[in-house]
């Protein structure tokens, strides 16, 4: 298994963003160019009459190839931050640039395209489609590309092989264990060869053993496949795997 | 109990979208049901409300053959007969509106409105009519529709009696009974007979008979038929009600179909209600488990489900009946009475139909909630709480 | 965009709600198709009685043969006119008497009108499609009759060997049963024209004359000849036009009635589909959010759910249409509102009816699924993050 297995990006335009840096040492803290830049970002929700400021003038730079963990008590705004970076939501003010895209100025449609191209999602509760098999779930994001059907199937199978589930391809999610489901979700996240992997409590629903397997897999994706990973977690063991851990409290980075 | 019911009913507020659509769907089905039942009811009304003390005599073999005019006089002599009026079906077309269908009858002038006393004509109109050989009395619905007023001169085209026929509108009648069409055109038999071709003279289509004693109707009818049994032309005499019924028998297939369809619409209504209730129960499994955990018994939970369904049924019934009643009585009914008066002289929602529809809405809701309520009652506290939490 | 198997499988997984909604839609399609099929049935049944090259001649002003009357000497004139414009097949035409009689219905209480056609000897030769299927042809000039296949046994006295009265002490004996490819003639009794004329006291005249021209194109010339003779006071109509007029009122009534019922049913079923689809959307909010997070656009989510609703509706529609086609086996007796006599007809499925039934189900699916689909499209991708 080599990184080139997952290469051949569906879109030539993004090749530049994901091109591995030749001199980088896998274990050393990455010194790539910034892939995520947040400048003075504020996010305010209006609940009833009182406006609620969740992110308060936040600044953050994440470099390409990093594996960062984001910790903080509930209500600290880490999910909101993750949503902004993943292009699920827009900042109220400030500037958020992810993989060269200004999130705040994009339309819903443009954001959807952005997510399809640059973001791989890994959710706490896996969010697999229960009516689709493992390989069909992994194939799902490829339906947004112009790849022919055979090629899509081939890539989905390759991604499942990367996560070690080549023998579970035609199983439905309910026939899999939690750890296996999460690995299918990871395969789905990497199949499009995204710029950034966004993980929301990826081990939150798992037992220790499965959680460790998933974390090992994420580490491998970071080192072997040079994926930039941003992970929100409560789990200190998970945070330990990351090269950088940041703490968020009351909408500010500590 | 009432408290529990109100709490259950409050669940309907949870998903406004679903509640409103369910009520709308059930109400539409109920409106369709009410309309179908009203069609069936008013179809039956024609014979149901037919005068009890009136008989009709016609040709025994066929409706297209006339009777000799003297038969009317013979019948007058039969004991128990109070009054007799003979008449002919004319078959008129309005030259300017050839598709307009209405009943046109040439009647025995002196007795017709005595035998058909539910066709109410003012004494002035009647006097004017009797004085004018070409006079005609017209149903108020037909007169309004065609814009005819007393004093108007009109020309009709005969389909059975060929040629153009001139008439003067002498008066307007209004029916006092639900079985009578308000769109008929009544004129003098003598006028018809005088101008009819030779071979059609002195013949009458059928004879209406009023009897003195309703309980002797059958006996009198038999006596009349026996009297003509040995003559050239035999007769069949029956109560007006029986005659209407036998006419309607021809449409029995259609009536059965409408009957079936009105049941099917209830089936659709049941599906809508059942689906909604089942969905609610499925979503609230955890809540029912919590209720059970804090000490409510299975029947409480079942009651919750049924009470919510009942509230849905009551609302659906209220909306459905509330719309159908004025809609049919002021809108559809009037249109039907004007255009299809010959078949549906009276097309209105009966209070009994409305009440029935309301009860059905409630009943269907209860039936629809039966299975889900049993399911909800069986919720295992531990399983349900574990599954969700 | 979102694969269709995603929708189909979701429908399959939620068997019960899907079945309930689809069944509701199936009922609507069934009722709708049945009403159209009945309307078609009566039109076709009467239509089969008509040929393009046959012309019906009646007295001017008559809507039906029943009220028309033509003197015998005029019958010969009409036949002569036909031969003049071109009518070489023998017999050129037939003069017939049409009456209705009251007969007791079997099975139910009540009396109904039955059409009796007084026909000349060569009526069978004039209508080559008519065949004796049971018993034999009547002896010419006798009081023997044959009955159409459709009404045989539906009325008292209409079985082979039985009798009914046209007039007191004048029993007519049924000796045979005839068929005519399912036309309305099969709902008639055919007796000798002289016997009927005598019984109904109308010697020297018939109700109508039918003539068979060499080609339909000769109709205009024939019509001009017949109607040009003012003394006759007759009118000529193509038989196809005539029967169409005969069935119009009843067919239109059936179609309108069916249409109104189907309209109400459709609203009910559409709302049922809306509720079902809405529950699907509500139950799958996180799934939809995930799809949005993965990069599927609002439009593709909208189409996906519209498609799901469409599949649901078409499944129901197909089921309803198949059930409706099965109604082909059922025959119905009803009064034809133009002749006031009974006619037996069936449900006639046509490709057009089946297609329009399926189109109706598709429309119900799209309308019913629209609001839920919009709701699905508006699900925020953030929903994917909610546990």
């Amino acid at each position: 298994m080599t990184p080139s297995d997952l290469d051949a990006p569906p879109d030539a335009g993004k090749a530049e963003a994901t091109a591995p840096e030749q001199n980088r040492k896998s274990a050393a803290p990455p010194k790539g160019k910034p892939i995520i830049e947040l400048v003075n970002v504020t996010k305010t929700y209006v609940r009833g009459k009182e406006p609620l400021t969740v992110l308060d003038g936040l600044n953050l730079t994440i470099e390409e190839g990093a594996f960062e963990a984001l910790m903080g008590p509930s209500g600290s705004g880490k999910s909101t931050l993750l949503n902004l970076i993943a292009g699920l939501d827009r900042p109220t003010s400030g500037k958020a640039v992810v993989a060269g895209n200004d999130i705040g100025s994009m339309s819903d449609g443009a954001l959807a395209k952005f997510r399809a191209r640059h973001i791989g999602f890994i959710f706490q509760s896996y969010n697999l489609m229960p009516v689709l098999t493992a390989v069909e779930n992994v194939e799902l994001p490829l339906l947004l590309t112009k790849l022919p059907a055979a090629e899509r199937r081939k890539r989905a199978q390759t991604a499942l092989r990367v996560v070690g589930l080549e023998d579970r391809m035609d199983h439905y999610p309910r026939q899999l264990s939690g750890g296996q489901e999460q690995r299918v979700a990871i395969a789905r996240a990497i199949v499009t060869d995204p710029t950034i992997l966004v993980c929301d409590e990826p081990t939150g629903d798992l037992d220790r053993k499965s959680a460790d397997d998933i974390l090992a897999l994420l580490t491998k994706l970071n080192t072997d496949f040079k994926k930039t990973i941003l992970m929100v977690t409560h789990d200190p063991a998970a945070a330990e795997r990351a090269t950088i851990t940041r703490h968020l409290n009351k909408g500010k980075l500590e | 109990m009432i408290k529990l019911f109100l709490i259950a009913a409050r669940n309907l507020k949870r998903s406004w979208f679903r509640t409103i659509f369910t009520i709308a769907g059930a109400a539409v089905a109920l409106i369709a049901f009410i309309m179908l039942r009203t069609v069936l009811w008013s179809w039956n009304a024609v014979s149901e409300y037919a005068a009890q003390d009136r008989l009709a005599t016609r040709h025994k073999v066929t409706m297209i053959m006339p009777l000799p005019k003297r038969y009317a006089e013979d019948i007058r002599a039969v004991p128990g007969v109070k009054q007799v009026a003979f008449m002919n079906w004319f078959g008129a077309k309005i030259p300017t509106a050839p598709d307009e269908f209405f009943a046109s009858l040439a009647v025995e002038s002196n007795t017709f409105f005595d035998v058909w006393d539910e066709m109410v004509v003012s004494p002035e109109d009647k006097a004017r009519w009797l004085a004018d050989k070409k006079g005609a009395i017209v149903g108020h619905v037909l007169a309004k529709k065609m814009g005819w007023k007393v004093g108007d001169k009109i020309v009709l085209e005969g389909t059975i009696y060929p040629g153009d026929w001139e008439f003067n509108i002498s008066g307007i009648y209004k029916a006092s009974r639900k079985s009578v069409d308000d769109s008929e055109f009544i004129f003098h038999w003598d006028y018809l007979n005088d101008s009819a071709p030779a071979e059609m003279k002195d013949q009458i289509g059928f004879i209406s008979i009023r009897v003195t004693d309703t309980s002797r109707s059958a006996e009198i009818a038999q006596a009349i038929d026996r009297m003509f049994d040995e003559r050239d032309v035999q007769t069949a005499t029956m109560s007006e009600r029986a005659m209407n019924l036998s006419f309607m028998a021809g449409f029995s297939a259609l009536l059965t179909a409408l009957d079936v369809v009105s049941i099917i619409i209830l089936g659709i209504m049941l599906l809508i209600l059942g689906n909604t209730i089942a969905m609610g129960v499925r979503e609230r499994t955890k809540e029912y488990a919590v209720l059970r955990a804090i000490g409510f018994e299975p029947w409480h939970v079942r009651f919750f489900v049924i009470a919510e369904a009942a509230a849905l049924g009551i609302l659906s019934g209220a909306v459905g009946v509330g719309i159908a009643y004025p809609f049919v009585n002021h809108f559809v009914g009037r249109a039907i009475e004007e255009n299809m008066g010959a078949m549906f002289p009276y097309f209105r929602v009966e209070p009994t139909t409305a009440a029935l529809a309301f009860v059905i809405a409630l009943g269907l809701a209860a039936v629809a909630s039966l299975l889900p309520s049993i399911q909800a009652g069986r919720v295992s506290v531990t399983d349900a709480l574990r599954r969700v939490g | 965009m979102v694969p269709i198997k995603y929708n189909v499988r979701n429908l399959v997984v939620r068997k019960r709600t899907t079945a309930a909604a689809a069944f509701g839609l199936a009922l609507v399609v069934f009722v709708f198709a049945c009403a159209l099929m009945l309307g078609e049935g009566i039109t076709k049944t009467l239509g089969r009685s008509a040929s393009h090259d046959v012309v019906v001649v009646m007295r001017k002003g008559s809507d039906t043969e029943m009220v028309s009357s033509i003197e015998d000497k005029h019958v010969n004139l009409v036949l002569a006119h036909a031969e003049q414009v071109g009518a070489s097949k023998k017999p050129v035409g037939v003069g017939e008497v049409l009456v209705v009689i009251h007969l007791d219905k079997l099975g139910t209480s009540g009396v109904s009108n039955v059409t009796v056609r007084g026909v000349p000897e060569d009526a069978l030769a004039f209508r080559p499609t008519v065949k004796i299927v049971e018993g034999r042809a009547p002896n010419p000039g006798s009081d023997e009759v044959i009955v159409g296949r459709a009404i045989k046994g539906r009325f008292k006295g209409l079985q082979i060997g039985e009798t009914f009265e046209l007039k007191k002490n004048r029993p007519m004996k049924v000796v045979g049963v005839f068929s005519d490819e399912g036309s309305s003639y099969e709902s008639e009794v055919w007796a000798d024209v002289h016997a009927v004329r005598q019984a109904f006291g109308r010697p020297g005249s018939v109700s109508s004359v039918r003539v068979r021209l060499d080609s339909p194109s000769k109709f205009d010339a024939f019509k001009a000849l017949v109607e040009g003779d003012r003394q006759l006071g007759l009118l000529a109509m193509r038989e196809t036009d005539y029967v169409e007029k005969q069935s119009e009122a009843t067919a239109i009534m059936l179609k309108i009635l069916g249409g109104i019922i189907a309209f109400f049913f459709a609203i009910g079923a559409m709302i049922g589909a809306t509720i079902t689809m809405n529950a699907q959307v509500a139950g799958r909010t996180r799934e939809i959010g995930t799809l949005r997070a993965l990069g599927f656009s609002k439009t593709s989510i909208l189409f996906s759910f519209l498609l799901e609703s469409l599949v649901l509706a078409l499944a129901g529609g197909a089921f309803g249409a198949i059930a409706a086609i099965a109604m082909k086996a059922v025959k119905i007796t009803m009064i034809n509102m133009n002749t006031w006599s009974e006619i037996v007809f069936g449900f006639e499925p046509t490709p057009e009816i089946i297609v329009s039934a399926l189109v109706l189900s598709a429309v119900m699916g799209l309308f019913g699924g629209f609001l839920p689909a919009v709701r699905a499209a508006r699900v925020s991708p953030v929903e994917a993050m909610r546990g």
Side-chain angles (χ1 to χ4, degrees):
Chain A
M1 168 88 14
T2 64
S4 63
D5 269 330
L6 278 172
D7 235 317
D11 183 340
K14 61 181 282 203
E16 185 197 351
T18 53
E21 282 181 48
Q22 294 185 335
N23 296 336
R24 219 181 69 186
K25 292 269 187 307
S26 50
K31 288 198 177 56
K33 52 184 180 181
I35 191 89
I36 299 170
E37 273 192 293
L38 270 54
V39 182
N40 203 19
V41 164
T42 303
K43 180 72 189 178
T44 310
Y45 291 106
V46 183
R47 287 279 142 78
K49 282 180 184 167
E50 295 294 305
L52 181 71
T53 301
V54 185
L55 296 179
D56 190 5
L58 191 126
N59 292 294
L60 172 67
T61 304
I62 293 177
E63 289 172 344
E64 197 171 4
F67 184 177
E68 299 207 359
L70 201 55
M71 297 189 78
S74 47
S76 61
K78 55 188 191 309
S79 290
T80 306
L81 179 58
L82 200 69
N83 290 349
L84 284 182
I85 292 169
L88 296 177
D89 212 346
R90 282 178 283 252
T92 311
S93 70
K95 206 169 171 69
V97 179
V98 180
N101 294 280
D102 182 359
I103 302 293
S105 66
M106 290 161 78
S107 68
D108 278 357
L111 279 178
K113 285 203 183 73
F114 160 81
R115 292 193 298 268
R117 184 173 302 170
H118 294 294
I119 308 292
F121 282 98
I122 299 163
F123 305 97
Q124 175 174 3
S125 38
Y126 333 127
N127 286 3
L128 299 177
M129 304 297 139
V131 296
L132 299 181
T133 62
V135 71
E136 284 167 348
N137 263 292
V138 175
E139 201 183 334
L140 200 55
L142 292 177
L143 294 171
L144 293 165
T145 67
K146 291 192 171 67
L147 292 175
E151 179 64 21
R152 290 200 307 256
R153 188 46 66 107
K154 206 182 108 203
R155 288 193 190 196
Q157 287 164 348
T158 306
L160 276 172
R161 222 172 290 132
V162 170
V163 301
L165 282 180
E166 54 269 51
D167 54 343
R168 292 282 189 277
M169 299 220 186
D170 295 322
H171 288 224
Y172 284 94
R174 64 171 187 282
Q175 298 168 316
L176 300 171
S177 71
Q180 288 170 330
E181 278 195 74
Q182 190 60 298
R183 280 194 273 162
V184 174
I186 291 173
R188 181 178 65 186
I190 61 176
V191 74
T192 52
D193 193 25
T195 317
I196 302 165
L197 287 183
V198 169
C199 316
D200 183 21
E201 301 274 11
T203 58
D205 280 1
L206 297 174
D207 59 75
R208 190 69 261 158
K209 169 75 179 64
S210 306
D212 286 340
D213 289 348
I214 293 298
L215 290 167
L217 183 56
L218 288 177
T219 308
K220 183 174 123 182
L221 289 173
N222 178 247
T223 55
D224 297 359
F225 296 90
K226 312 291 184 254
K227 290 284 155 212
T228 307
I229 300 179
L230 179 61
M231 171 171 72
V232 163
T233 185
H234 274 110
D235 179 4
E240 225 162 77
R241 298 276 185 152
T243 44
I244 296 173
T245 301
R246 298 178 200 264
H247 291 271
L248 199 62
N249 199 5
K250 291 182 181 156
K252 289 185 196 271
L253 281 169
E254 287 178 340
Chain B
M1 206 67 165
I2 301 249
K3 181 80 185 155
L4 282 182
F5 179 82
L6 290 177
I7 291 173
R10 217 179 291 164
N11 268 324
L12 293 176
K13 284 204 251 176
R14 288 241 194 122
S15 170
W16 274 119
F17 182 90
R18 190 195 295 161
T19 303
I20 288 173
F21 267 70
T22 305
I23 291 174
V28 166
L30 209 57
I31 293 170
F33 175 79
I34 291 171
M35 285 177 68
L36 286 169
R37 293 320 303 182
T38 303
V39 169
L40 292 170
W41 184 89
S42 47
W43 207 306
N44 282 323
V46 177
S47 55
E48 202 75 29
Y49 285 78
Q52 299 285 335
D53 58 347
R54 201 158 48 215
L55 304 177
T57 298
R58 59 156 168 79
H59 195 285
K60 187 182 183 190
V61 176
T62 172
M63 66 172 188
I64 59 170
M65 290 274 288
L67 301 170
K69 182 170 178 260
R70 61 172 193 282
Y71 275 27
E73 301 313 318
D74 292 343
I75 290 173
R76 252 184 258 277
V78 172
V81 170
K82 194 168 155 191
Q83 189 56 283
V84 168
F86 57 82
M87 62 201 79
N88 279 18
W89 177 265
F90 176 67
K93 252 191 210 172
I94 301 171
T96 50
D99 290 329
E100 196 61 49
F101 177 84
F102 57 94
S104 48
L105 295 167
V107 306
E108 185 178 5
S109 314
N110 295 324
T111 54
F112 180 80
F113 285 106
D114 296 334
V115 175
W116 288 81
D117 58 1
E118 66 264 54
M119 294 165 80
V120 182
V121 192
S122 71
E124 307 86 71
D125 280 5
K126 198 169 159 193
R128 192 180 304 120
W129 180 61
L130 287 172
D132 180 359
K133 192 183 178 193
K134 293 184 177 182
I137 303 272
V138 182
H140 71 102
V141 171
L142 180 67
K144 192 177 162 206
K145 198 165 168 199
M146 302 314 301
W148 291 338
K149 288 180 301 295
V150 172
D152 283 3
K153 279 194 193 317
I154 60 161
V155 174
L156 295 180
E157 207 179 288
T159 58
I160 299 172
Y161 300 86
D164 288 343
W165 296 75
E166 284 175 23
F167 296 101
N168 305 317
I169 307 289
S170 328
I172 307 289
Y173 77 85
K174 196 170 187 318
S176 63
R177 208 192 277 255
K178 291 168 182 177
S179 58
V180 176
D181 179 10
D182 268 326
S183 298
E184 289 181 8
F185 186 93
I186 309 292
F187 66 95
H188 299 294
W189 183 86
D190 288 340
Y191 176 38
L192 179 77
N193 198 48
D194 289 354
S195 317
E199 73 272 15
M200 295 170 107
K201 273 196 203 299
D202 290 330
Q203 292 175 340
I204 55 181
F206 53 98
I207 304 166
S208 277
I209 303 152
R210 262 243 140 98
V211 296
T212 45
D213 181 358
T214 311
S215 63
R216 287 185 56 219
S217 294
E219 199 183 309
I220 294 168
Q222 274 177 1
I224 292 171
D225 288 345
R226 211 165 30 234
M227 176 167 70
F228 298 121
D229 195 44
E230 293 306 320
R231 308 252 195 113
D232 290 353
V233 177
Q234 287 75 48
T235 57
T237 304
M238 57 187 99
S239 74
E240 198 178 294
R241 187 183 165 144
M243 187 133 113
N244 287 342
L245 276 175
S246 92
F247 165 74
M248 282 184 318
F251 289 96
S252 64
L254 190 65
L255 298 182
T256 312
L258 290 181
D259 229 343
V260 169
V261 162
S262 77
I263 304 295
I264 292 183
I265 191 93
L266 293 184
I268 291 188
M269 192 168 152
L270 188 67
L271 285 174
I272 294 176
L273 290 170
N275 219 357
T276 294
I277 295 161
M279 272 178 220
V281 168
R282 217 170 305 143
E283 283 165 22
R284 280 177 222 139
T285 305
K286 187 183 165 190
E287 288 168 39
Y288 294 137
V290 172
L291 283 177
R292 294 274 284 109
I294 61 177
F296 283 91
E297 288 173 42
W299 74 264
H300 281 117
V301 174
R302 283 198 293 274
F303 178 81
F304 259 117
V305 177
I306 296 173
E308 187 183 338
L312 205 55
I314 289 170
L315 286 172
S316 307
V319 172
V321 174
I323 293 176
Y325 207 83
F327 179 66
V328 171
N329 286 4
H330 295 292
F331 226 58
V332 183
R334 197 164 295 171
I336 287 180
E337 284 170 21
E338 272 175 27
N339 294 303
M340 299 172 74
M343 263 186 198
F344 299 109
Y346 183 86
F347 194 93
R348 298 288 153 99
V349 178
E350 283 298 287
T352 46
T353 310
L356 174 74
F358 190 82
V359 170
I360 281 177
L362 192 58
L364 283 184
V367 170
S369 66
L370 221 56
L371 269 182
S373 81
I374 291 171
Q375 228 168 11
R378 281 208 199 114
V379 163
S380 147
V381 182
T382 46
D383 280 0
L385 290 181
R386 191 185 310 136
R387 171 145 53 114
V388 189
Chain C
M1 295 254 283
V2 180
I4 183 161
K5 62 186 165 204
Y6 168 72
N7 305 105
V8 174
R9 282 189 205 159
N10 266 306
L11 288 172
V12 174
V13 166
R14 287 154 225 246
K15 288 185 218 70
R16 241 185 279 171
T17 25
T18 302
F23 188 60
L25 292 158
L27 284 176
V28 177
V29 168
F30 175 76
V31 169
F32 176 73
C34 280
L36 290 186
M37 278 160 57
L38 269 189
E40 188 69 23
I42 192 163
T43 310
K44 272 210 177 145
T45 303
L46 285 165
R48 286 198 193 100
S49 323
S51 319
H52 291 282
D53 50 359
V54 170
V55 182
V56 183
V57 179
M58 292 184 294
R59 191 191 65 203
K60 202 177 264 168
S62 314
D63 285 332
T64 72
E65 289 171 78
M66 210 109 61
V67 299
S68 158
S69 158
I70 305 175
E71 286 173 50
D72 278 353
K73 57 182 183 205
H74 292 159
V75 173
N76 291 329
L77 265 175
V78 169
L79 293 182
H81 283 321
E83 278 171 333
Q84 192 183 332
V85 300
S88 48
K89 259 181 243 141
K90 297 286 170 189
V92 172
V94 287
E96 297 171 330
V97 178
L98 203 72
V99 298
V100 293
I101 60 168
H102 298 286
L103 282 180
D104 289 327
K105 274 182 120 171
L106 289 180
T108 58
S109 64
V111 186
S112 201
N113 285 319
V114 173
T115 303
V116 176
R117 188 178 292 271
V119 297
E121 278 169 53
D122 44 13
L124 283 163
F126 182 73
R127 296 187 183 84
T129 51
V130 174
K131 304 214 163 50
I132 303 287
V133 289
E134 254 181 80
R136 58 176 173 82
N139 288 324
S142 71
D143 282 357
E144 292 176 347
V145 303
I146 49 177
V147 301
R149 188 168 55 175
I151 55 161
K152 169 203 147 194
R154 285 186 186 255
F155 291 89
K156 201 172 155 195
L158 293 193
Q159 286 281 16
I160 290 188
E162 294 181 344
T163 58
F164 63 92
E165 284 189 345
L166 266 193
K167 196 181 178 178
K168 190 174 164 73
N169 301 327
R170 179 102 193 232
M172 308 298 283
K173 188 173 185 207
V174 179
V175 298
V177 175
F178 68 91
S179 74
D180 183 33
E181 301 177 341
S183 82
S184 61
Y185 287 132
E186 291 187 0
S187 299
E188 294 181 354
V189 174
W190 284 10
D192 184 82
V193 62
H194 301 291
V196 177
R197 280 174 13 163
Q198 229 171 330
F200 279 72
R202 47 188 296 177
S205 77
V206 294
S207 303
S208 65
V209 181
R210 276 180 168 72
V211 299
R212 190 179 295 278
L213 301 176
D214 286 342
S215 118
S217 62
K218 301 207 188 282
F219 171 74
D220 289 337
F222 177 68
K223 183 183 166 77
L225 267 182
V226 170
E227 293 182 6
D229 193 339
R230 298 264 160 181
Q231 291 297 319
L232 293 178
L234 299 178
L235 67 88
M237 261 176 121
R238 285 182 205 272
E239 197 180 27
T240 43
D241 293 342
Y242 172 68
V243 299
E244 200 186 308
K245 254 181 87 181
Q246 296 300 297
S247 65
E248 221 175 20
T250 310
I252 288 178
M253 183 187 81
L254 286 174
K255 284 178 183 173
I256 289 179
L257 201 60
I260 292 174
I261 292 171
F263 172 76
F264 275 95
F265 272 40
I267 292 181
M270 223 150 66
I271 289 175
T274 303
I275 295 170
T276 303
M277 286 309 295
N278 196 57
Q280 296 270 324
V281 172
R284 275 147 64 188
T285 303
R286 193 149 58 88
E287 266 176 68
I288 299 165
T290 305
L291 287 172
R292 292 278 287 123
L294 290 179
F296 286 95
S297 65
K298 280 184 176 179
T299 328
S300 59
I301 300 289
L302 182 82
F303 278 118
S304 175
F305 276 86
L306 277 182
L307 196 71
E308 187 163 327
S309 178
L310 189 66
V311 170
L312 171 77
L314 283 177
F319 187 72
I322 290 169
I325 292 174
M327 289 297 283
K328 210 180 158 181
V330 179
K331 292 273 177 226
I332 276 198
T333 316
M334 214 180 91
I335 292 264
N336 181 6
M337 303 212 302
N338 268 66
T339 57
W340 295 116
S341 52
E342 293 230 339
I343 157 171
V344 180
F345 59 104
F347 295 85
E348 292 274 352
T350 65
E352 291 81 24
I353 291 176
I354 300 307
V355 168
S356 44
L358 289 178
V359 167
L360 173 74
S361 69
V363 169
M364 287 192 293
L366 290 180
F367 275 90
F370 186 72
L371 276 184
V374 167
R375 187 176 157 181
R378 286 167 64 178
V379 166
S380 156
V382 176
E383 293 292 340
M385 294 297 198
R386 304 233 160 99

